PDB file of all heavy atoms in Angstrom:
ATOM      1  N   GLY E   1      17.846  -5.227 -18.525  1.00 80.00           N
ATOM      2  CA  GLY E   1      19.011  -6.113 -18.271  1.00 80.00           C
ATOM      3  C   GLY E   1      20.318  -5.427 -18.006  1.00 80.00           C
ATOM      4  O   GLY E   1      21.290  -6.175 -17.718  1.00 80.00           O
ATOM      5  N   GLN E   2      20.400  -4.139 -18.129  1.00 82.00           N
ATOM      6  CA  GLN E   2      21.694  -3.461 -17.942  1.00 82.00           C
ATOM      7  C   GLN E   2      21.652  -2.922 -16.516  1.00 82.00           C
ATOM      8  O   GLN E   2      20.617  -2.526 -15.950  1.00 82.00           O
ATOM      9  CB  GLN E   2      21.813  -2.277 -18.908  1.00 82.00           C
ATOM     10  CG  GLN E   2      21.982  -2.781 -20.369  1.00 82.00           C
ATOM     11  CD  GLN E   2      23.319  -3.528 -20.578  1.00 82.00           C
ATOM     12  OE1 GLN E   2      24.316  -3.101 -20.126  1.00 82.00           O
ATOM     13  NE2 GLN E   2      23.152  -4.681 -21.244  1.00 82.00           N
ATOM     14  N   PRO E   3      22.828  -2.680 -15.874  1.00 87.00           N
ATOM     15  CA  PRO E   3      22.855  -2.064 -14.578  1.00 87.00           C
ATOM     16  C   PRO E   3      22.552  -0.582 -14.679  1.00 87.00           C
ATOM     17  O   PRO E   3      22.688   0.046 -15.732  1.00 87.00           O
ATOM     18  CB  PRO E   3      24.358  -2.274 -14.139  1.00 87.00           C
ATOM     19  CG  PRO E   3      25.108  -2.346 -15.433  1.00 87.00           C
ATOM     20  CD  PRO E   3      24.167  -3.019 -16.408  1.00 87.00           C
ATOM     21  N   HIS E   4      22.053  -0.045 -13.569  1.00 92.00           N
ATOM     22  CA  HIS E   4      21.850   1.427 -13.515  1.00 92.00           C
ATOM     23  C   HIS E   4      23.125   2.133 -13.599  1.00 92.00           C
ATOM     24  O   HIS E   4      24.075   1.742 -12.969  1.00 92.00           O
ATOM     25  CB  HIS E   4      21.076   1.789 -12.233  1.00 92.00           C
ATOM     26  CG  HIS E   4      19.668   1.379 -12.182  1.00 92.00           C
ATOM     27  ND1 HIS E   4      18.987   1.187 -11.057  1.00 92.00           N
ATOM     28  CD2 HIS E   4      18.782   1.118 -13.202  1.00 92.00           C
ATOM     29  CE1 HIS E   4      17.755   0.788 -11.319  1.00 92.00           C
ATOM     30  NE2 HIS E   4      17.588   0.783 -12.624  1.00 92.00           N
ATOM     31  N   ASN E   5      23.167   3.181 -14.387  1.00 93.00           N
ATOM     32  CA  ASN E   5      24.405   4.002 -14.576  1.00 93.00           C
ATOM     33  C   ASN E   5      24.681   4.749 -13.260  1.00 93.00           C
ATOM     34  O   ASN E   5      23.851   4.761 -12.375  1.00 93.00           O
ATOM     35  CB  ASN E   5      24.296   4.909 -15.760  1.00 93.00           C
ATOM     36  CG  ASN E   5      23.128   5.841 -15.705  1.00 93.00           C
ATOM     37  OD1 ASN E   5      23.026   6.682 -14.748  1.00 93.00           O
ATOM     38  ND2 ASN E   5      22.195   5.762 -16.624  1.00 93.00           N
ATOM     39  N   THR E   6      25.877   5.391 -13.150  1.00 94.00           N
ATOM     40  CA  THR E   6      26.271   6.008 -11.930  1.00 94.00           C
ATOM     41  C   THR E   6      25.398   7.258 -11.650  1.00 94.00           C
ATOM     42  O   THR E   6      25.438   7.782 -10.519  1.00 94.00           O
ATOM     43  CB  THR E   6      27.741   6.359 -11.930  1.00 94.00           C
ATOM     44  OG1 THR E   6      28.030   7.197 -13.079  1.00 94.00           O
ATOM     45  CG2 THR E   6      28.587   5.106 -11.993  1.00 94.00           C
ATOM     46  N   ARG E   7      24.713   7.794 -12.604  1.00 96.00           N
ATOM     47  CA  ARG E   7      23.882   8.989 -12.389  1.00 96.00           C
ATOM     48  C   ARG E   7      22.360   8.622 -12.192  1.00 96.00           C
ATOM     49  O   ARG E   7      21.550   9.527 -12.189  1.00 96.00           O
ATOM     50  CB  ARG E   7      24.047   9.956 -13.505  1.00 96.00           C
ATOM     51  CG  ARG E   7      25.489  10.504 -13.591  1.00 96.00           C
ATOM     52  CD  ARG E   7      25.644  11.619 -14.632  1.00 96.00           C
ATOM     53  NE  ARG E   7      26.994  11.909 -14.789  1.00 96.00           N
ATOM     54  CZ  ARG E   7      27.452  12.886 -15.620  1.00 96.00           C
ATOM     55  NH1 ARG E   7      26.597  13.614 -16.325  1.00 96.00           N
ATOM     56  NH2 ARG E   7      28.799  13.103 -15.690  1.00 96.00           N
ATOM     57  N   TRP E   8      22.044   7.356 -12.113  1.00 96.00           N
ATOM     58  CA  TRP E   8      20.721   6.916 -12.113  1.00 96.00           C
ATOM     59  C   TRP E   8      19.814   7.523 -11.011  1.00 96.00           C
ATOM     60  O   TRP E   8      18.749   8.016 -11.226  1.00 96.00           O
ATOM     61  CB  TRP E   8      20.592   5.398 -12.001  1.00 96.00           C
ATOM     62  CG  TRP E   8      19.183   4.916 -11.849  1.00 96.00           C
ATOM     63  CD1 TRP E   8      18.546   4.468 -10.742  1.00 96.00           C
ATOM     64  CD2 TRP E   8      18.174   4.935 -12.859  1.00 96.00           C
ATOM     65  NE1 TRP E   8      17.221   4.172 -11.050  1.00 96.00           N
ATOM     66  CE2 TRP E   8      16.961   4.493 -12.292  1.00 96.00           C
ATOM     67  CE3 TRP E   8      18.205   5.327 -14.231  1.00 96.00           C
ATOM     68  CZ2 TRP E   8      15.791   4.348 -13.041  1.00 96.00           C
ATOM     69  CZ3 TRP E   8      17.001   5.198 -14.960  1.00 96.00           C
ATOM     70  CH2 TRP E   8      15.829   4.691 -14.344  1.00 96.00           C
ATOM     71  N   ALA E   9      20.357   7.600  -9.773  1.00 96.00           N
ATOM     72  CA  ALA E   9      19.579   8.132  -8.649  1.00 96.00           C
ATOM     73  C   ALA E   9      19.215   9.601  -8.955  1.00 96.00           C
ATOM     74  O   ALA E   9      18.025  10.005  -8.768  1.00 96.00           O
ATOM     75  CB  ALA E   9      20.310   8.002  -7.345  1.00 96.00           C
ATOM     76  N   GLN E  10      20.168  10.384  -9.339  1.00 97.00           N
ATOM     77  CA  GLN E  10      19.925  11.788  -9.678  1.00 97.00           C
ATOM     78  C   GLN E  10      19.001  11.934 -10.845  1.00 97.00           C
ATOM     79  O   GLN E  10      18.080  12.755 -10.834  1.00 97.00           O
ATOM     80  CB  GLN E  10      21.238  12.493  -9.981  1.00 97.00           C
ATOM     81  CG  GLN E  10      21.110  13.931 -10.275  1.00 97.00           C
ATOM     82  CD  GLN E  10      22.429  14.603 -10.696  1.00 97.00           C
ATOM     83  OE1 GLN E  10      23.407  13.897 -11.113  1.00 97.00           O
ATOM     84  NE2 GLN E  10      22.524  15.894 -10.540  1.00 97.00           N
ATOM     85  N   TYR E  11      19.181  11.174 -11.926  1.00 97.00           N
ATOM     86  CA  TYR E  11      18.366  11.232 -13.147  1.00 97.00           C
ATOM     87  C   TYR E  11      16.913  10.828 -12.804  1.00 97.00           C
ATOM     88  O   TYR E  11      15.953  11.453 -13.225  1.00 97.00           O
ATOM     89  CB  TYR E  11      18.932  10.371 -14.225  1.00 97.00           C
ATOM     90  CG  TYR E  11      20.033  11.029 -15.040  1.00 97.00           C
ATOM     91  CD1 TYR E  11      20.838  12.108 -14.509  1.00 97.00           C
ATOM     92  CD2 TYR E  11      20.332  10.583 -16.284  1.00 97.00           C
ATOM     93  CE1 TYR E  11      21.795  12.678 -15.262  1.00 97.00           C
ATOM     94  CE2 TYR E  11      21.343  11.116 -17.081  1.00 97.00           C
ATOM     95  CZ  TYR E  11      22.060  12.173 -16.547  1.00 97.00           C
ATOM     96  OH  TYR E  11      23.059  12.769 -17.301  1.00 97.00           O
ATOM     97  N   SER E  12      16.797   9.723 -12.069  1.00 97.00           N
ATOM     98  CA  SER E  12      15.460   9.200 -11.706  1.00 97.00           C
ATOM     99  C   SER E  12      14.691  10.206 -10.876  1.00 97.00           C
ATOM    100  O   SER E  12      13.506  10.462 -11.117  1.00 97.00           O
ATOM    101  CB  SER E  12      15.603   7.846 -10.985  1.00 97.00           C
ATOM    102  OG  SER E  12      14.339   7.310 -10.684  1.00 97.00           O
ATOM    103  N   ALA E  13      15.348  10.822  -9.922  1.00 98.00           N
ATOM    104  CA  ALA E  13      14.696  11.813  -9.039  1.00 98.00           C
ATOM    105  C   ALA E  13      14.281  13.025  -9.839  1.00 98.00           C
ATOM    106  O   ALA E  13      13.172  13.576  -9.649  1.00 98.00           O
ATOM    107  CB  ALA E  13      15.638  12.258  -7.922  1.00 98.00           C
ATOM    108  N   ALA E  14      15.093  13.489 -10.805  1.00 98.00           N
ATOM    109  CA  ALA E  14      14.786  14.641 -11.620  1.00 98.00           C
ATOM    110  C   ALA E  14      13.570  14.333 -12.528  1.00 98.00           C
ATOM    111  O   ALA E  14      12.667  15.190 -12.666  1.00 98.00           O
ATOM    112  CB  ALA E  14      15.975  14.990 -12.498  1.00 98.00           C
ATOM    113  N   ALA E  15      13.524  13.097 -13.090  1.00 97.00           N
ATOM    114  CA  ALA E  15      12.416  12.745 -13.929  1.00 97.00           C
ATOM    115  C   ALA E  15      11.121  12.679 -13.137  1.00 97.00           C
ATOM    116  O   ALA E  15      10.062  13.145 -13.605  1.00 97.00           O
ATOM    117  CB  ALA E  15      12.673  11.466 -14.614  1.00 97.00           C
ATOM    118  N   LYS E  16      11.177  12.092 -11.942  1.00 97.00           N
ATOM    119  CA  LYS E  16       9.955  11.970 -11.129  1.00 97.00           C
ATOM    120  C   LYS E  16       9.464  13.308 -10.719  1.00 97.00           C
ATOM    121  O   LYS E  16       8.260  13.614 -10.653  1.00 97.00           O
ATOM    122  CB  LYS E  16      10.291  11.120  -9.828  1.00 97.00           C
ATOM    123  CG  LYS E  16      10.419   9.674 -10.131  1.00 97.00           C
ATOM    124  CD  LYS E  16      10.764   8.845  -8.934  1.00 97.00           C
ATOM    125  CE  LYS E  16      11.031   7.387  -9.334  1.00 97.00           C
ATOM    126  NZ  LYS E  16      11.579   6.636  -8.225  1.00 97.00           N
ATOM    127  N   ALA E  17      10.387  14.283 -10.334  1.00 98.00           N
ATOM    128  CA  ALA E  17       9.951  15.652  -9.981  1.00 98.00           C
ATOM    129  C   ALA E  17       9.370  16.335 -11.091  1.00 98.00           C
ATOM    130  O   ALA E  17       8.269  17.046 -10.925  1.00 98.00           O
ATOM    131  CB  ALA E  17      11.156  16.400  -9.446  1.00 98.00           C
ATOM    132  N   ALA E  18       9.872  16.239 -12.327  1.00 98.00           N
ATOM    133  CA  ALA E  18       9.348  16.885 -13.469  1.00 98.00           C
ATOM    134  C   ALA E  18       7.955  16.323 -13.794  1.00 98.00           C
ATOM    135  O   ALA E  18       7.039  17.104 -14.143  1.00 98.00           O
ATOM    136  CB  ALA E  18      10.246  16.758 -14.694  1.00 98.00           C
ATOM    137  N   LYS E  19       7.810  15.056 -13.712  1.00 97.00           N
ATOM    138  CA  LYS E  19       6.519  14.379 -13.978  1.00 97.00           C
ATOM    139  C   LYS E  19       5.450  14.876 -12.987  1.00 97.00           C
ATOM    140  O   LYS E  19       4.330  15.178 -13.326  1.00 97.00           O
ATOM    141  CB  LYS E  19       6.619  12.850 -14.003  1.00 97.00           C
ATOM    142  CG  LYS E  19       5.353  12.182 -14.393  1.00 97.00           C
ATOM    143  CD  LYS E  19       5.576  10.601 -14.509  1.00 97.00           C
ATOM    144  CE  LYS E  19       4.321   9.912 -14.942  1.00 97.00           C
ATOM    145  NZ  LYS E  19       4.487   8.499 -15.092  1.00 97.00           N
ATOM    146  N   ALA E  20       5.827  14.865 -11.704  1.00 97.00           N
ATOM    147  CA  ALA E  20       4.912  15.255 -10.647  1.00 97.00           C
ATOM    148  C   ALA E  20       4.466  16.698 -10.765  1.00 97.00           C
ATOM    149  O   ALA E  20       3.288  17.053 -10.564  1.00 97.00           O
ATOM    150  CB  ALA E  20       5.561  15.024  -9.243  1.00 97.00           C
ATOM    151  N   ALA E  21       5.330  17.572 -11.279  1.00 98.00           N
ATOM    152  CA  ALA E  21       5.048  19.005 -11.445  1.00 98.00           C
ATOM    153  C   ALA E  21       4.434  19.247 -12.797  1.00 98.00           C
ATOM    154  O   ALA E  21       4.079  20.393 -13.118  1.00 98.00           O
ATOM    155  CB  ALA E  21       6.334  19.822 -11.276  1.00 98.00           C
ATOM    156  N   ARG E  22       4.288  18.196 -13.670  1.00 97.00           N
ATOM    157  CA  ARG E  22       3.774  18.363 -14.987  1.00 97.00           C
ATOM    158  C   ARG E  22       4.586  19.376 -15.787  1.00 97.00           C
ATOM    159  O   ARG E  22       4.000  20.228 -16.472  1.00 97.00           O
ATOM    160  CB  ARG E  22       2.281  18.646 -14.962  1.00 97.00           C
ATOM    161  CG  ARG E  22       1.467  17.499 -14.338  1.00 97.00           C
ATOM    162  CD  ARG E  22      -0.032  17.703 -14.255  1.00 97.00           C
ATOM    163  NE  ARG E  22      -0.608  18.057 -15.579  1.00 97.00           N
ATOM    164  CZ  ARG E  22      -1.028  17.208 -16.483  1.00 97.00           C
ATOM    165  NH1 ARG E  22      -0.848  15.889 -16.325  1.00 97.00           N
ATOM    166  NH2 ARG E  22      -1.611  17.614 -17.608  1.00 97.00           N
ATOM    167  N   THR E  23       5.892  19.336 -15.641  1.00 97.00           N
ATOM    168  CA  THR E  23       6.805  20.172 -16.300  1.00 97.00           C
ATOM    169  C   THR E  23       6.958  19.793 -17.774  1.00 97.00           C
ATOM    170  O   THR E  23       6.990  18.564 -18.078  1.00 97.00           O
ATOM    171  CB  THR E  23       8.146  20.137 -15.607  1.00 97.00           C
ATOM    172  OG1 THR E  23       7.991  20.533 -14.223  1.00 97.00           O
ATOM    173  CG2 THR E  23       9.201  21.087 -16.267  1.00 97.00           C
ATOM    174  N   GLY E  24       7.162  20.760 -18.671  1.00 97.00           N
ATOM    175  CA  GLY E  24       7.420  20.483 -20.076  1.00 97.00           C
ATOM    176  C   GLY E  24       6.332  19.605 -20.699  1.00 97.00           C
ATOM    177  O   GLY E  24       5.165  19.910 -20.574  1.00 97.00           O
ATOM    178  N   SER E  25       6.767  18.609 -21.416  1.00 97.00           N
ATOM    179  CA  SER E  25       5.853  17.723 -22.114  1.00 97.00           C
ATOM    180  C   SER E  25       4.974  16.874 -21.203  1.00 97.00           C
ATOM    181  O   SER E  25       3.993  16.336 -21.602  1.00 97.00           O
ATOM    182  CB  SER E  25       6.582  16.833 -23.080  1.00 97.00           C
ATOM    183  OG  SER E  25       7.131  17.631 -24.121  1.00 97.00           O
ATOM    184  N   TRP E  26       5.304  16.786 -19.932  1.00 97.00           N
ATOM    185  CA  TRP E  26       4.570  16.026 -18.990  1.00 97.00           C
ATOM    186  C   TRP E  26       3.135  16.676 -18.819  1.00 97.00           C
ATOM    187  O   TRP E  26       2.173  16.057 -18.380  1.00 97.00           O
ATOM    188  CB  TRP E  26       5.178  15.938 -17.595  1.00 97.00           C
ATOM    189  CG  TRP E  26       6.333  14.918 -17.624  1.00 97.00           C
ATOM    190  CD1 TRP E  26       7.640  15.157 -17.368  1.00 97.00           C
ATOM    191  CD2 TRP E  26       6.199  13.481 -17.768  1.00 97.00           C
ATOM    192  NE1 TRP E  26       8.377  14.053 -17.404  1.00 97.00           N
ATOM    193  CE2 TRP E  26       7.529  12.964 -17.652  1.00 97.00           C
ATOM    194  CE3 TRP E  26       5.170  12.652 -18.105  1.00 97.00           C
ATOM    195  CZ2 TRP E  26       7.788  11.629 -17.837  1.00 97.00           C
ATOM    196  CZ3 TRP E  26       5.468  11.248 -18.262  1.00 97.00           C
ATOM    197  CH2 TRP E  26       6.739  10.775 -18.109  1.00 97.00           C
ATOM    198  N   ALA E  27       3.013  17.982 -19.187  1.00 97.00           N
ATOM    199  CA  ALA E  27       1.738  18.648 -19.099  1.00 97.00           C
ATOM    200  C   ALA E  27       0.751  18.065 -20.051  1.00 97.00           C
ATOM    201  O   ALA E  27      -0.486  18.127 -19.823  1.00 97.00           O
ATOM    202  CB  ALA E  27       1.930  20.132 -19.373  1.00 97.00           C
ATOM    203  N   THR E  28       1.164  17.514 -21.150  1.00 96.00           N
ATOM    204  CA  THR E  28       0.284  17.021 -22.184  1.00 96.00           C
ATOM    205  C   THR E  28       0.472  15.581 -22.592  1.00 96.00           C
ATOM    206  O   THR E  28      -0.314  14.995 -23.285  1.00 96.00           O
ATOM    207  CB  THR E  28       0.353  17.848 -23.441  1.00 96.00           C
ATOM    208  OG1 THR E  28       1.706  17.869 -23.922  1.00 96.00           O
ATOM    209  CG2 THR E  28      -0.124  19.295 -23.157  1.00 96.00           C
ATOM    210  N   CYS E  29       1.576  14.915 -22.211  1.00 95.00           N
ATOM    211  CA  CYS E  29       1.946  13.602 -22.638  1.00 95.00           C
ATOM    212  C   CYS E  29       1.827  12.586 -21.532  1.00 95.00           C
ATOM    213  O   CYS E  29       2.259  12.845 -20.401  1.00 95.00           O
ATOM    214  CB  CYS E  29       3.375  13.578 -23.167  1.00 95.00           C
ATOM    215  SG  CYS E  29       3.739  14.644 -24.586  1.00 95.00           S
ATOM    216  N   PRO E  30       1.216  11.406 -21.814  1.00 92.00           N
ATOM    217  CA  PRO E  30       1.091  10.418 -20.727  1.00 92.00           C
ATOM    218  C   PRO E  30       2.420   9.708 -20.460  1.00 92.00           C
ATOM    219  O   PRO E  30       2.624   9.179 -19.378  1.00 92.00           O
ATOM    220  CB  PRO E  30       0.110   9.422 -21.308  1.00 92.00           C
ATOM    221  CG  PRO E  30       0.171   9.613 -22.808  1.00 92.00           C
ATOM    222  CD  PRO E  30       0.531  11.037 -23.031  1.00 92.00           C
ATOM    223  N   SER E  31       3.344   9.739 -21.435  1.00 90.00           N
ATOM    224  CA  SER E  31       4.700   9.169 -21.240  1.00 90.00           C
ATOM    225  C   SER E  31       5.617   9.878 -22.184  1.00 90.00           C
ATOM    226  O   SER E  31       5.230  10.505 -23.166  1.00 90.00           O
ATOM    227  CB  SER E  31       4.691   7.658 -21.535  1.00 90.00           C
ATOM    228  OG  SER E  31       4.455   7.428 -22.894  1.00 90.00           O
ATOM    229  N   LEU E  32       6.933   9.780 -21.890  1.00 89.00           N
ATOM    230  CA  LEU E  32       7.968  10.346 -22.690  1.00 89.00           C
ATOM    231  C   LEU E  32       8.948   9.230 -23.006  1.00 89.00           C
ATOM    232  O   LEU E  32       9.437   8.631 -22.140  1.00 89.00           O
ATOM    233  CB  LEU E  32       8.681  11.523 -22.002  1.00 89.00           C
ATOM    234  CG  LEU E  32       7.755  12.699 -21.518  1.00 89.00           C
ATOM    235  CD1 LEU E  32       8.613  13.720 -20.794  1.00 89.00           C
ATOM    236  CD2 LEU E  32       7.054  13.339 -22.705  1.00 89.00           C
TER     237      LEU E  32
END
């Protein structure tokens, strides 16, 4: 219910890239 913050596009892209590359905890966790 809250608006996306001003860094949302950058943050969302970074999270998607890390998840796709299975970086960090994405290597073993289904969600963070």
Side-chain angles (χ1 to χ4, degrees):
Q2 294 294 314
H4 287 156
N5 58 62
T6 57
R7 297 185 188 182
W8 176 255
Q10 180 184 23
Y11 278 21
S12 181
K16 286 176 186 172
K19 185 175 183 179
R22 298 182 50 87
T23 303
S25 294
W26 285 116
T28 57
C29 299
S31 67
L32 303 178

